[in-house]
Amino acid sequence: MRIKTMHRWLLSFLTGILLTTTLPIGSASAISSPNVFYNGTYYYDQFLATALTDSLTSIMLSATPLPDASPVVFNRPGVTLTIQGGYDNLFNALIGSTVLSTSLTISQGTLIVNNLTIGGTALPPGDTTSPTTTANPSGGSFTAAITVQLAVNETATIYYTTDGSTPTTASTVYSGLIPINATTTLKYFARDSAGNSETAKSAIYTINSGGDPQANHANLTFTSTALCLQCHTKQATDMASSVHYKWEGPYSKISNKPTGTIGGKLNTAVNAYCINTLGNWNGCGACHIGAGAKPGTVADATKNIDCLICHQKEYKRVRNATSGLFEPDTAKMTISMDQAVQALHMPVKSNCLQCHAKGGGGDALKRGDLALINGTTTDRNYDVHMASTGANLSCQQCHTTINHHVSGGGSDLRPSDSALTVSCATSSCHSNKAALNAGHATTAINTHLKRVACQTCHIPAYGRKAADAVLDTVTGYGDQSTETDRTWATPEWSVANSRWEPTVIRANNLKPIYAFFDGSSWVYDLHDVAVIDPATGNY
């Protein structure tokens, strides 16, 4: 009886409960009604009680730190408490060689008896707060099928129905985006691991194919740049396969490379301006339409594409120095990110110009015929096509798109994003030019149309300055001068960028040099062997 008495007393000490019955050796009993459920473990009013054998002289107890300031000694990271006793009521509680108090109160943790684990992770006291679930979009009228995202503010299980009935824990468990193909009443709630449930919520989604497409975004809440993928997976996939995103593609008009050679500025291209993007992705990729990561597989790209770059003129972003990814720069925005995703639009001039006008790191620096002022100028003598007093054309009226692939080629003609060509001779613009013998008042001029490009006469100078341009003394933007030379032989310190940069020579009102062009280009790629040009004696 002495053995049984010791066992009964020791278990009573550990559980803080005085057992009033004597358990025979080898038997076990448990309280069947749980009073708390947390992290997948039932906590009973009493621990499972089991008789001990004569050979068992130790009970191990381990626990995570208490979330409050309780001074319980064993609740420390990595600490295991061993309580050792003999066949009497005397015992020592040890951690290593340190003797602890004999009046410990065991209230939480994992109790192991005969290799049987009872209990689980520590129970946070006072967890009575219900979780909160939000739907995105939160309801409204839509012109096409959508998907709905449910998110909860803590670890919890979300249950939902789409037939209008009130959900229970027997309803469908949310595991991913919910497709809504017809008018639907969605009801949902979440239950956390402590057993707290929120009151069921509902949202009504009306699918109206004849409605305003912009209404599809009216109730959106911004979460990340991947938000658009909930509905626009095809558009993201189309963009992921474009040269606009990949920055490389098959060569078709490069005279010194086999047709189909894959290349572009992402990896292989070398030019006399920025040299190459390798080693400086953070700088060169600032104008990439991805969310910060370098282009990779199509699957990666669909997660990386930043739709707002082209579809929200008020959107600004900044690269996170730690992750290398872009995040909204709301300090420079005039609207919130929720407003940004609720009011998306087709690309406007400023969307395109924020990257294409600043190629090479400055306004009008690289091309000499494209500047930020192109988007707002009223000077038709500066740009008759884009000026508001001229044709007031948007970029995509000439650079037409098919499945997010843009017509027109880069200045070196390496990859081409679309089989469509940019031409003045269209039915909506200069239809007479299509005949190649009409369109001007005199026959003498018309006879040149087959051989002479329009730009030859209509762009007598480049690097011009718009009459309404205003110089920004901080950025230097606004004078529309273009770069004519840069050299590292005499570098200069850039205060704005806090780095050394090559000395740049810029100029306005430069006269083009004309030459006949057969539509092909000669390029240099990384690792190509340099050769002497016999005509000039230069590499």
Side-chain angles (χ1 to χ4, degrees), residues 30-210:
I31 304 300
S32 61
S33 300
N35 63 353
V36 177
F37 182 78
Y38 179 71
N39 278 3
T41 300
Y42 282 104
Y43 288 80
Y44 293 90
D45 290 330
Q46 296 182 14
F47 282 117
L48 177 67
T50 182
L52 308 181
T53 65
D54 290 349
S55 61
L56 183 63
T57 59
S58 66
I59 296 177
M60 308 294 293
L61 184 135
S62 61
T64 56
L66 287 173
D68 54 25
S70 176
V72 180
V73 176
F74 67 84
N75 283 290
R76 298 291 183 268
V79 171
T80 299
L81 171 65
T82 301
I83 298 179
Q84 295 178 322
Y87 295 129
D88 53 29
N89 292 345
L90 300 177
F91 69 95
N92 289 321
L94 305 174
I95 295 181
S97 60
T98 304
V99 178
L100 303 179
S101 168
T102 59
S103 60
L104 297 176
T105 298
I106 310 300
S107 60
Q108 301 182 56
T110 301
L111 179 66
I112 302 176
V113 180
N114 279 354
N115 296 320
L116 175 64
T117 300
I118 308 166
T121 57
L123 177 65
D127 182 9
T128 59
T129 303
S130 299
T132 301
T133 309
T134 55
N136 197 11
S138 59
S141 179
F142 304 88
T143 59
I146 62 169
T147 54
V148 177
Q149 179 187 50
L150 297 179
V152 65
N153 65 338
E154 63 171 291
T155 301
T157 302
I158 303 174
Y159 304 91
Y160 73 93
T161 62
T162 56
D163 60 1
S165 62
T166 300
T168 67
T169 53
S171 300
T172 304
V173 174
Y174 177 78
S175 60
L177 299 175
I178 303 171
I180 304 293
N181 302 310
T183 297
T184 299
T185 297
L186 173 68
K187 293 188 176 183
Y188 55 92
F189 79 99
R191 179 182 175 90
D192 65 18
S193 52
N196 301 305
S197 296
E198 68 177 324
T199 302
K201 300 175 180 177
S202 65
I204 299 176
Y205 301 89
T206 302
I207 306 301
N208 177 15
S209 59

Side-chain angles (χ1 to χ4, degrees), residues 350-391:
S350 61
N351 289 116
C352 305
L353 291 171
Q354 65 183 327
C355 286
H356 291 283
K358 296 189 293 185
D363 183 26
L365 195 64
K366 187 174 183 179
R367 304 181 183 278
D369 61 349
L370 196 61
L372 292 173
I373 194 67
N374 286 82
T376 58
T377 185
T378 59
D379 183 2
R380 72 185 308 274
N381 291 319
Y382 174 73
D383 188 333
V384 70
H385 290 116
M386 295 184 74
S388 59
T389 55

Side-chain angles (χ1 to χ4, degrees), residues 436-440 442-452:
L436 296 178
N437 61 7
H440 290 83
T442 65
T443 302
I445 296 178
N446 287 333
T447 58
H448 291 83
L449 297 183
K450 292 182 180 180
R451 300 276 291 170
V452 180

